[in-house]
Amino acid sequence: MYQRILVTTDGSQLSERAVEHAIALADLTGAELVALRVVPRYPQTYFEGGVALGTPEVRQIEKQWEEEARQTVVAVKTLAQARQVKVKPITVKSDLIAEAIIAAAKRHKCDLIVMASHGRRGIKRLLLGSETQQVLTHSHIPVLVLR
């Protein structure tokens, strides 16, 4: 049914459930798994009262975020390998999360994207948007969303 499944994770409890489902689905179908975490760039603030950090500090923070992302996808790899599921852990640096997810799915020739909903409701969802909604709207690859 599926040859390659992309699962996105941010390390949250909700995304861990999506990872568990993706691993189980890959195990059942014999698919390979691509574990993805998108790392944003450090936001530069120019608003009054905001604290602007220097380039070395920003680089250090981004390096820390990249390392945390790497650890997250390596943990997915460990879980998947325990079930004999082949997995490729990848991280991508981008401020455009949804676009990065869709691009990674295309690049790795995935035929399913598995991701968690972010869990926001009401006005927060309206104001903050939804990366999941963006992926659902713009992806030509089927998307399985877990709550």
Side-chain angles (χ1 to χ4, degrees), residues 9-63:
T9 182
D10 61 7
S12 69
Q13 189 174 15
L14 190 57
S15 71
E16 286 176 12
R17 288 190 11 216
V19 166
E20 291 168 7
H21 282 275
I23 290 171
L25 187 57
D27 187 28
L28 286 171
T29 62
E32 294 179 28
L33 196 64
V34 176
L36 170 69
R37 178 150 181 199
V38 180
V39 182
R41 289 178 176 77
Y42 186 83
Q44 298 294 324
T45 180
Y46 300 103
F47 298 106
E48 185 177 331
V51 177
L53 296 178
T55 302
E57 291 85 5
V58 169
R59 283 190 187 136
Q60 182 61 33
I61 290 168
E62 288 180 341
K63 184 178 177 182

Side-chain angles (χ1 to χ4, degrees), residues 1-2 7 9 15 25-26 28 34-35 45 55 57 61 66 72 85 87 90 95-96 98 107-108 120 128 133-134:
M1 179 176 225
Y2 298 113
V7 62
T9 182
S15 71
L25 187 57
L28 286 171
V34 176
T45 180
T55 302
E57 291 85 5
I61 290 168
E66 289 171 14
T72 301
V85 172
V87 62
I90 61 171
D95 290 329
L96 305 172
R107 186 177 323 108
H108 294 280
R120 288 188 212 117
L128 298 175
Q133 184 65 42
Q134 291 295 315

Side-chain angles (χ1 to χ4, degrees), residues 2-143:
Y2 298 113
Q3 300 299 311
R4 192 166 294 118
I5 299 169
L6 180 124
V7 62
T8 64
T9 182
D10 61 7
S12 69
Q13 189 174 15
L14 190 57
S15 71
E16 286 176 12
R17 288 190 11 216
V19 166
E20 291 168 7
H21 282 275
I23 290 171
L25 187 57
D27 187 28
L28 286 171
T29 62
E32 294 179 28
L33 196 64
V34 176
L36 170 69
R37 178 150 181 199
V38 180
V39 182
R41 289 178 176 77
Y42 186 83
Q44 298 294 324
T45 180
Y46 300 103
F47 298 106
E48 185 177 331
V51 177
L53 296 178
T55 302
E57 291 85 5
V58 169
R59 283 190 187 136
Q60 182 61 33
I61 290 168
E62 288 180 341
K63 184 178 177 182
Q64 180 182 344
W65 288 353
E66 289 171 14
E67 178 57 26
E68 289 170 2
R70 189 191 65 74
Q71 289 174 4
T72 301
V73 294
V74 167
V76 173
K77 181 178 180 178
T78 301
L79 289 171
Q81 287 178 330
R83 292 184 66 169
Q84 283 75 47
V85 172
K86 185 177 177 184
V87 62
K88 180 176 186 172
I90 61 171
T91 60
V92 175
K93 191 173 187 178
S94 177
D95 290 329
L96 305 172
I97 308 298
E99 288 180 19
I101 292 168
I102 293 167
K106 286 180 186 176
R107 186 177 323 108
H108 294 280
K109 298 180 173 77
C110 297
D111 41 25
L112 179 68
I113 298 171
V114 177
M115 59 191 307
S117 66
H118 53 61
R120 288 188 212 117
R121 304 229 191 296
I123 193 73
K124 282 186 181 178
R125 180 175 182 178
L126 181 65
L127 293 175
L128 298 175
S130 165
E131 299 301 336
T132 304
Q133 184 65 42
Q134 291 295 315
V135 173
L136 281 168
T137 302
H138 299 289
S139 176
H140 297 289
I141 299 166
V143 181

